[in-house]
Amino acid sequence: MKKLRIIILFLAAISLSRCAKQSSPQGGPRDQEPPKLLQSNPETQELNTKPEEIVLQFDEYIKLDNPSKNIIITPRLQKDEIVTTALKDRVVIELNQELEDSTTYVFNFQNSIQDLSEGNPAENLKIVFSTGPFIDSLTVSGSVNHYWPKRQFDYRDVIIGLYLENDTTDLFTAAPYYLTRADSLGNFVIENIRANRYRAYAWHDANNSTKAESKSEAYDFLQDTITVESNLEGLQFNLSQADLSELRFSRSSFTNGSYDIILNKWTVEDNIGVEGLGESIFYSKEESSLKLFSREEIADSIQVNLLLKDSVGNKIDTAIWAKFPKNERRPDDLTISANSGLNFTDTLKAILKFNKPIKEIKTDSLFIPVDSTNQIQIDRQMFFFTDSLKRTELAINIPVLDSLPIQIFTLTAMDSTFLDITGTYNGEALRANYRQIKPETLADVLSGNIEGSNGPFILQLLDSKGEKVREEIIEDGNEFTLENLQPGNYQLRVIEDSNGNKRWDPANFYENRLAERVFYFKDDTGKIGEVILKSGWTNEGIIIKASKPTGY
C-alpha cells in the first residue's frame, strides 16, 4: 500500500512537470490585428429603427480614443447628451435624445475604437441606419487647401460641414447638420446625404468644438447654396484666417508724453486728421495702438478726426479730443532697431526703426568706420523718413565702392545721435553690420509666368525658413523677372491682389466676400516646390499655376 502511494505521487509529479513544460512562452509576436465587429444593434443598413442606444460587440477587449472628436455622427445630434463607454469587448453609445423621422444616420468611428493591448484601430467601421423606409445615399466630395500653410498643419483636423439652407446657425454658432473630416491630403467625402439645398463651409477645428473660431481658426465658405440632387463632386475650399470681431476703441488718454488711442486689434488703414499733422504733431503705431505726439504742450483739447479700418473692412469713423499737457514724468527711453545682417553689392540699404517720432539727427555722429583713421560719413542726402507723418522709420542708402579694404560695414550711431519728439536722446550707441558681396556671386535672373489668374499680383520670394526676402508688385501682365538674387533655395508665393491695394485681403463671412487667392510654385508632385539659384545662373521659364478658386 505504501509502495502504491509512492508510485502515485511519483507519476503525479511527472505529470505536473510535463504540464509546466507545455505552458505558453512569455512574449511572442506583437498583435497587429485590429478588433473585428461581430455584431451591432442596430445593424448597419437597418431600416425603420429608432434606437435609444448603439451597441457594438467585438472579438476582443477594446478601448476608446477621444470618442467626442473621432466619432463623427451625421446628421447633427446633441453631442453633449451622448454618453459613450467601453466595457471589455463592447461599446455602448447612449443617445439620450429623440431621432428625426425618415432620416438616415451615420456613425463613422474612424480610429476611435482600438484593441486594448496594442491600440490597433478598428478599420473602416461605420454604422448606417434609417429611421424611415430607405437609406439616403447622396455624396458631396472635394478638397481643402490652405493659403498660408504651416509645417505642423494637419488636414485631418479640418471639418467640412453642410447646413440646411433655412438653418439659422452657421459655422461660428453651431455644429453642422452633415459633417466629415478631411484626410491627410485634404480630400473629403460626405456620405448618406438627403436631397436638399445646403450651405457649405470648411474650417480648421483646432479646439475640437465642431464650430469655427473666427479669431483663431482658418476657414472658408461657398458664397452660394448648393443643391444636392445627385452626387456632387469637386467642391474646393481654401482656408485662411480672419478676425471678424468688431473694430472698437478700448480707451484713450495722455500717458507720459503721448496721447494713446488703444484699439482692440490691428488696423491696416489709418487716416488721421488733426491740425499740424506732419509739422508739429506726429504719430506712431504699435500693435493695436496709435500714439499721437506734439512738439509742444497744448493747453486746450484739440479735435482729432479718425477713420480707421481693419483687415476685413470694419471701420471706425469718429472724432476724439486729445490733450497734450506738460509731462511731469520722465519720458520713455528712445529705442532703435536695425535690419542688420543683410548683404549688399554697391549700395548699403539700412532701415532704422524708432519707438517715437524723431525730431533731430546729428549727422556728425552717424558714420561707417573703415579703419582707424577713415570713415564713411552719413550726410542728409543719404537718408529720409519713409512716412513723414510718423518719422519713426529712417531709410539710409549709402553708396559703397567695392575697392574698400573691408567686407563687413558697421553702421554706427553714437549715443545722442537721435533726438525724439519728447526731448529724449538715444542713450546707447547703435552698431549694425552689413556685408558687401561681389556681383558675380549673385544669380543673374529668375523669371517666369503666372498662369490661371489675372493681375495685379504681389510676387514674394521666400527663403528656406519661409521668410519673405523680396517682394515685387506686378500691375500689368503675367510675367515676372527678379534679378541679382543671392544663391540659395527659395519658394515663390503669389497673392492675387484683386483690388490693387498692394496687400492681401482676408475673407469676410458676414459680407459674403472671399479671401484673395494665394498660391505657390509647385513641383511635379503638387507640393510647394523650391527654386534653386546658383551664382551666375539664369533660371527662366518658371511657371506658377494659380490654385483652384473656392467653389465647384
Side-chain angles (χ1 to χ4, degrees):
M1 189 71 180
K2 189 175 181 180
K3 285 184 178 181
L4 179 61
R5 196 174 296 168
I6 292 172
I7 293 172
I8 291 173
L9 290 172
F10 177 73
L11 293 174
I14 293 175
S15 177
L16 288 172
S17 174
R18 288 177 177 175
C19 289
K21 290 179 180 178
Q22 291 174 356
S23 64
S24 299
Q26 297 294 319
R30 181 177 178 180
D31 177 16
Q32 296 183 343
E33 290 294 322
K36 293 183 174 60
L37 180 67
L38 299 179
Q39 62 181 17
S40 68
N41 185 21
E43 296 181 354
T44 191
Q45 303 296 315
E46 187 172 335
L47 304 177
N48 299 309
T49 180
K50 270 195 177 183
E52 296 182 355
E53 63 179 18
I54 312 293
V55 181
L56 309 177
Q57 183 79 43
F58 294 90
D59 65 342
E60 59 180 313
Y61 283 10
I62 47 83
K63 62 182 178 181
L64 292 171
D65 178 30
N66 198 359
S68 63
K69 175 181 178 180
N70 292 329
I71 300 177
I72 296 179
I73 305 171
T74 57
R76 177 173 61 206
L77 290 177
Q78 298 298 325
K79 296 194 75 172
D80 292 343
E81 302 295 325
I82 296 174
V83 178
T84 304
T85 56
L87 182 61
K88 296 183 179 181
D89 57 356
R90 285 168 32 110
V91 171
V92 178
I93 304 173
E94 300 173 57
L95 301 179
N96 296 317
Q97 57 199 287
E98 185 74 16
L99 301 183
E100 297 180 22
D101 294 331
S102 300
T103 300
T104 298
Y105 284 90
V106 179
F107 285 70
N108 188 338
F109 294 90
Q110 299 190 103
N111 294 327
S112 62
I113 299 177
Q114 305 172 357
D115 66 35
L116 188 60
S117 59
E118 298 293 341
N120 300 310
E123 296 178 345
N124 303 317
L125 181 56
K126 184 168 66 172
I127 301 297
V128 182
F129 63 88
S130 176
T131 59
F134 59 88
I135 298 287
D136 294 317
S137 59
L138 297 177
T139 64
V140 170
S141 61
S143 60
V144 179
N145 173 48
H146 201 308
Y147 282 154
W148 306 95
K150 298 178 181 178
R151 291 186 179 182
Q152 302 302 319
F153 181 78
D154 191 343
Y155 280 104
R156 291 173 295 184
D157 292 329
V158 175
I159 283 181
I160 300 88
L162 301 181
Y163 292 72
L164 293 168
E165 180 185 27
N166 59 358
D167 194 339
T168 58
T169 64
D170 57 45
L171 74 165
F172 300 119
T173 58
Y177 191 71
Y178 289 107
L179 69 89
T180 190
R181 290 184 182 270
D183 64 18
S184 60
L185 299 177
N187 301 314
F188 68 88
V189 179
I190 307 176
E191 299 178 308
N192 299 103
I193 302 173
R194 180 192 306 172
N196 214 323
R197 290 178 61 83
Y198 300 94
R199 290 176 288 119
Y201 311 98
W203 66 93
H204 180 215
D205 190 31
N207 62 0
N208 191 31
S209 66
T210 65
K211 295 186 295 183
E213 306 291 339
S214 68
K215 289 185 178 182
S216 58
E217 294 178 343
Y219 68 92
D220 196 20
F221 57 93
L222 299 193
Q223 291 175 293
D224 300 316
T225 58
I226 59 174
T227 301
V228 182
E229 296 176 331
S230 58
N231 293 341
L232 193 59
E233 301 176 351
L235 266 69
Q236 178 66 46
F237 294 97
N238 296 293
L239 304 181
S240 62
Q241 196 167 318
D243 182 356
L244 297 175
S245 61
E246 180 185 1
L247 178 62
R248 63 182 185 274
F249 286 119
S250 295
R251 65 183 187 277
S252 61
S253 62
F254 182 84
T255 53
N256 200 20
S258 64
Y259 190 86
D260 299 346
I261 302 168
I262 310 301
L263 306 166
N264 64 319
K265 58 177 175 175
W266 177 263
T267 55
V268 296
E269 292 183 13
D270 308 305
N271 294 302
I272 301 174
V274 60
E275 186 177 354
L277 185 65
E279 297 175 356
S280 60
I281 293 179
F282 303 89
Y283 79 98
S284 67
K285 188 172 184 179
E286 298 176 4
E287 297 181 351
S288 57
S289 68
L290 299 173
K291 293 178 177 288
L292 298 177
F293 297 84
S294 176
R295 287 182 183 268
E296 302 172 352
E297 65 179 90
I298 302 176
D300 297 326
S301 299
I302 60 173
Q303 182 174 331
V304 180
N305 298 310
L306 297 172
L307 177 56
L308 311 176
K309 184 178 179 181
D310 67 12
S311 62
V312 295
N314 296 325
K315 296 179 181 179
I316 290 178
D317 186 357
T318 189
I320 62 172
W321 294 89
K323 299 180 180 181
F324 297 94
K326 184 178 180 180
N327 186 28
E328 302 293 343
R329 298 169 55 189
R330 179 180 178 274
D332 293 335
D333 291 339
L334 174 62
T335 61
I336 313 171
S337 62
N339 62 337
S340 59
L342 298 183
N343 296 339
F344 69 96
T345 53
D346 55 2
T347 302
L348 189 161
K349 296 183 178 182
I351 297 290
L352 304 185
K353 295 183 179 181
F354 307 88
N355 64 323
K356 290 183 285 184
I358 296 302
K359 182 179 179 180
E360 295 179 5
I361 301 174
K362 295 182 178 180
T363 56
D364 57 352
S365 58
L366 186 60
F367 58 91
I368 296 175
V370 176
D371 52 38
S372 59
T373 58
N374 296 302
Q375 64 185 29
I376 301 173
Q377 193 66 45
I378 310 301
D379 61 43
R380 296 188 179 277
Q381 295 180 345
M382 296 180 183
F383 59 75
F384 62 93
F385 288 104
T386 59
D387 189 334
S388 61
L389 301 182
K390 295 180 180 178
R391 294 175 68 92
T392 56
E393 183 174 288
L394 189 69
I396 309 175
N397 295 327
I398 309 166
V400 176
L401 299 175
D402 59 6
S403 59
L404 292 176
I406 57 174
Q407 283 186 311
I408 303 299
F409 290 74
T410 302
L411 177 63
T412 302
M414 302 303 294
D415 61 280
S416 301
T417 298
F418 302 102
L419 176 66
D420 71 35
I421 197 170
T422 66
T424 304
Y425 287 99
N426 59 301
E428 297 181 356
L430 168 76
R431 291 179 175 84
N433 293 328
Y434 303 85
R435 179 188 295 273
Q436 186 178 36
I437 58 177
K438 301 294 184 182
E440 56 267 25
T441 65
L442 300 176
D444 291 337
V445 174
L446 171 63
S447 64
N449 284 272
I450 301 168
E451 294 184 352
S453 176
N454 295 317
F457 301 108
I458 303 171
L459 176 69
Q460 296 176 336
L461 189 70
L462 312 178
D463 63 18
S464 57
K465 297 180 180 179
E467 300 293 331
K468 182 175 63 177
V469 296
R470 181 80 70 88
E471 180 173 281
E472 300 287 338
I473 303 297
I474 304 173
E475 295 184 351
D476 298 308
N478 292 65
E479 297 181 355
F480 64 88
T481 300
L482 301 175
E483 298 178 333
N484 298 326
L485 300 170
Q486 294 185 47
N489 294 356
Y490 295 93
Q491 295 176 358
L492 284 167
R493 178 167 65 203
V494 175
I495 297 172
E496 188 180 63
D497 188 22
S498 304
N499 58 10
N501 64 0
K502 297 179 174 57
R503 67 170 184 264
W504 176 75
D505 291 302
N508 189 322
F509 171 75
Y510 298 119
E511 295 182 1
N512 200 33
R513 186 180 69 243
L514 297 177
E516 290 180 324
R517 275 199 293 177
V518 181
F519 40 90
Y520 300 77
F521 168 71
K522 294 189 175 182
D523 59 23
D524 294 337
T525 67
K527 295 182 180 180
I528 295 176
E530 288 190 334
V531 176
I532 301 175
L533 299 178
K534 296 185 178 182
S535 300
W537 278 31
T538 296
N539 199 331
E540 299 175 322
I542 297 295
I543 303 298
I544 305 175
K545 295 183 179 180
S547 57
K548 184 178 178 182
T550 295
Y552 68 98

